[in-house]
């Protein structure tokens, strides 16, 4: 019956049959197929609910199914659960700790505002990457955590290794981190460098003017003391 409805291109009828199969037999494949059918007919909340139930029942053991669940969590704005699923899969060997999977895990933590937990993942990814793309993310994460020196080191490393898309952003990170360390001259130089790049020029100009004023006030206070 399921196969016939599928051949007739009647996904809602297929879904109804799958609901009966899950109810009466509860085979792991049926749960995953039901979740997929909910997605096909546009019932995304049910799709996630069934997939999550299958995961809790221990039915999700294959790489692609783990990735699908993580993507569903991200789609439904539950990034921390996505991170937990990916982290557990890497720990248990279901997923290899390669560049792609580490990037997905780090992005899930960052989306969940868990920059601290993203750091070791990004470091591991940086070690195996051929470019500075993960150093870019490290620099931003360290900036968010107000770890200024680490942000500077990561941004410098990203620029040195190259292969990154938004070079101007790294100069902005350098400028902001150096400003917070009261390294005004270095900060101004970084913002000047960012001004020469179209994508970062506007923000860099505003930051340059702000830091220039702050530097003047700092020097005046120093003279008064």
């Amino acid at each position: 019956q399921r196969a016939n409805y599928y051949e007739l291109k009647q996904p809602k009828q297929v879904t109804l049959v799958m609901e009966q199969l899950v109810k009466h037999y509860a085979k792991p494949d049926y749960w995953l197929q039901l979740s997929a059918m909910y997605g096909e007919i546009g019932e995304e909340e049910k799709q996630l609910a069934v997939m999550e139930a299958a995961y809790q029942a221990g039915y999700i053991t294959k790489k692609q199914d783990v990735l699908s669940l993580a993507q569903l969590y991200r789609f439904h704005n539950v990034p921390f659960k996505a991170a937990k699923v990916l982290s557990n899969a890497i720990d248990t060997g279901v997923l290899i700790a390669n560049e792609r999977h580490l990037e997905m895990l780090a992005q899930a933590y960052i989306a969940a505002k868990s920059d601290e937990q993203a750091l070791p993942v990004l470091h591991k990814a940086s070690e195996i990457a051929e470019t500075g793309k993960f150093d870019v993310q490290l620099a931003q994460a360290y900036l968010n955590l107000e770890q200024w020196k680490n942000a500077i080191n990561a941004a410098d490393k990203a620029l040195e290794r190259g292969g990154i898309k938004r070079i101007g952003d790294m100069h902005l990170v350098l400028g902001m981190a150096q400003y917070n360390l009261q390294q005004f001259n270095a900060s101004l130089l970084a913002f000047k460098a960012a001004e020469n790049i179209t994508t970062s020029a506007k923000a860099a100009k505003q930051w340059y003017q702000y830091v220039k004023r702050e530097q003047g006030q700092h020097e005046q206070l120093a003279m008064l003391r």
Side-chain angles (χ1 to χ4, degrees):
Q1 189 179 44
R2 178 190 62 182
N4 288 333
Y5 279 130
Y6 191 84
E7 288 295 324
L8 291 168
K9 294 181 171 55
Q10 296 181 13
K12 288 188 177 179
Q13 293 300 323
V14 175
T15 305
L16 291 174
V17 175
M18 290 306 310
E19 288 174 346
Q20 292 302 310
L21 285 168
V22 166
K23 178 180 179 181
H24 295 297
Y25 303 103
K27 287 172 63 176
D29 285 350
Y30 292 161
W31 281 86
L32 299 176
Q33 290 167 17
L34 176 59
S35 176
M37 290 310 304
Y38 279 136
E40 190 167 332
I41 64 175
E43 296 192 28
E44 286 88 2
E45 289 187 4
K46 286 185 178 180
Q47 180 186 15
L48 175 58
V50 170
M51 199 72 166
E52 188 171 41
Y55 181 71
Q56 291 173 354
Y59 296 157
I60 295 181
T61 57
K62 297 178 183 177
K63 167 188 169 181
Q64 194 52 54
D65 295 331
V66 168
L67 294 175
S68 295
L69 177 57
Q71 288 166 351
L72 278 172
Y73 277 135
R74 290 297 307 275
F75 178 78
H76 287 276
N77 298 314
V78 198
F80 194 75
K81 283 192 174 184
K84 286 301 181 185
V85 166
L86 291 168
S87 178
N88 183 63
I90 290 172
D91 289 343
T92 56
V94 175
L95 292 180
I96 299 170
N98 58 24
E99 189 173 324
R100 179 195 173 208
H101 297 149
L102 290 172
E103 183 171 19
M104 289 179 67
L105 176 55
Q107 288 176 347
Y109 277 132
I110 291 169
K113 309 296 182 187
S114 298
D115 294 274
E116 193 77 50
Q117 288 175 282
L119 291 177
V121 182
L122 289 170
H123 274 292
K124 191 170 184 178
S126 174
E127 290 173 1
I128 61 177
E130 295 181 357
T131 69
K133 62 186 273 189
F134 293 108
D135 301 298
V136 168
Q137 296 177 53
L138 274 169
Q140 191 61 59
Y142 279 129
L143 191 73
N144 293 341
L145 293 166
E146 299 183 1
Q147 296 184 27
W148 313 123
K149 290 183 179 179
N150 286 332
I152 290 169
N153 291 335
D156 280 335
K157 190 175 180 181
L159 291 169
E160 181 184 344
R161 296 181 71 184
I164 60 178
K165 293 180 180 179
R166 296 180 64 89
I167 296 173
D169 288 355
M170 289 300 92
H171 290 294
L172 289 174
V173 168
L174 285 171
M176 286 184 273
Q178 288 160 340
Y179 161 71
N180 280 285
L181 291 172
Q182 295 189 348
Q183 298 172 1
F184 296 113
N185 289 332
S187 176
L188 291 170
L189 286 173
F191 289 130
K192 269 298 177 186
E195 276 189 58
N196 295 324
I197 301 170
T198 305
T199 56
S200 57
K202 184 178 179 181
K205 188 174 182 180
Q206 293 172 341
W207 267 101
Y208 184 91
Q209 293 170 348
Y210 173 75
V211 173
K212 194 71 175 173
R213 288 195 302 269
E214 289 293 303
Q215 183 184 36
Q217 292 176 3
H218 183 79
E219 289 173 352
Q220 286 179 354
L221 285 172
M223 290 174 65
L224 288 171
R225 292 194 192 98

